[in-house]
Amino acid sequence: MTEESGEKNFDVKLISKRLSIAYSKSDAPSNVLWSLVILPYNERLKSWGLLIWIVLWTISGLLIVGSYRFVTNDNQQLFIIVFAFFWVYYEWKMINVFLWRKWGKEKIWMKDKHLYYETVLLKKRKLLKWRLEDINEIAVEPFNEKVFSDFISTSFWNKGKPRIRVNVLGKNYYLAYQISDEEAMAALKELKKGMYRYNKE
């Protein structure tokens, strides 16, 4: 399909700067394609701040861990070993958050009576697939800023809390990271509209 024909066959609706919907104009069930793309929250200044933090954290960690061979005191060696685990954990976590902010995204689409959910980070893709008839519920995951875990999930240095819950045969799956209440409600509305459109067949 060419870009021109794609533009003719699909309508694109922006929910926000981060969320967009594309859906087929055709009423033929075999041609129906509905998709939602969610981009990560990103700010240039904060991205630079996170990158600088990672660089400084890497340098400081290498210096401390590298000093292990020069330390003879058992307590100091134990401290460096414990610090090394702590350092590696946050190094890995912050690098993943930075990469997600820069090059990650979520995709949700419906095709052939299935709901697909894919996370994309550079060349790494993770895909989940559920039959529409097996989905018991799709709902907005509640958010309470008075709960510490919810409050900290709004930080730029955190991938964030997923705001949409999909229950498939009694098992919950979570998606739509760090979106607002308004975005979550709008995305849920579009998801239900898409499912209704498929179920008309």
Side-chain angles (χ1 to χ4, degrees):
M1 179 183 292
T2 65
E3 184 176 349
E4 182 179 356
S5 64
E7 291 178 355
K8 291 180 179 180
N9 293 329
F10 292 88
D11 285 324
V12 177
K13 175 182 178 181
L14 294 179
I15 295 178
S16 68
K17 291 182 179 180
R18 295 178 51 202
L19 279 69
S20 61
I21 296 279
Y23 55 94
S24 170
K25 295 179 180 179
S26 173
D27 292 328
S30 61
N31 294 328
V32 170
L33 176 64
W34 180 100
S35 68
L36 168 66
V37 175
I38 305 174
L39 300 177
Y41 167 55
N42 194 16
E43 288 186 17
R44 186 175 181 181
L45 186 60
K46 290 183 178 180
S47 290
W48 275 107
L50 180 57
L51 179 59
I52 292 171
W53 187 94
I54 291 172
V55 172
L56 294 177
W57 181 255
T58 301
I59 294 172
S60 62
L62 290 174
L63 290 174
I64 294 174
V65 174
S67 67
Y68 178 85
R69 58 179 178 170
F70 302 109
V71 174
T72 57
N73 183 284
D74 290 343
N75 289 332
Q76 291 179 338
Q77 288 180 338
L78 179 60
F79 168 80
I80 293 174
I81 292 173
V82 173
F83 171 81
F85 284 102
F86 173 79
W87 172 66
V88 169
Y89 170 76
Y90 276 96
E91 179 86 359
W92 172 83
K93 183 176 181 179
M94 291 300 102
I95 288 175
N96 273 274
V97 169
F98 178 78
L99 294 176
W100 176 256
R101 298 289 183 202
K102 294 289 290 183
W103 296 290
K105 62 182 172 182
E106 299 171 84
K107 295 180 179 180
I108 307 162
W109 70 93
M110 296 181 194
K111 187 176 181 181
D112 300 328
K113 295 293 185 178
H114 286 79
L115 178 67
Y116 295 81
Y117 170 61
E118 182 181 47
T119 54
V120 181
L121 179 57
L122 296 174
K123 294 183 179 181
K124 183 179 179 181
R125 298 172 180 268
K126 182 179 179 181
L127 179 66
L128 295 175
K129 174 183 175 182
W130 309 295
R131 294 192 307 174
L132 291 179
E133 63 189 60
D134 293 335
I135 297 176
N136 301 322
E137 180 188 30
I138 300 180
V140 171
E141 186 70 4
F143 177 87
N144 186 352
E145 62 180 8
K146 294 182 179 180
V147 176
F148 179 76
S149 59
D150 285 0
F151 173 77
I152 201 68
S153 73
T154 62
S155 167
F156 188 82
W157 287 263
N158 193 305
K159 187 177 178 180
K161 178 179 180 177
R163 298 302 314 280
I164 294 178
R165 180 180 73 254
V166 180
N167 185 281
V168 182
L169 299 176
K171 183 177 180 179
N172 287 325
Y173 298 87
Y174 300 90
L175 47 101
Y177 286 88
Q178 209 175 45
I179 63 176
S180 67
D181 287 339
E182 293 76 15
E183 289 172 325
M185 293 300 297
L188 179 64
K189 180 180 179 180
E190 294 295 338
L191 272 167
K192 289 185 174 181
K193 283 172 60 178
M195 291 182 68
Y196 174 76
R197 184 179 180 184
Y198 269 79
N199 289 332
K200 285 196 306 181
E201 181 185 356

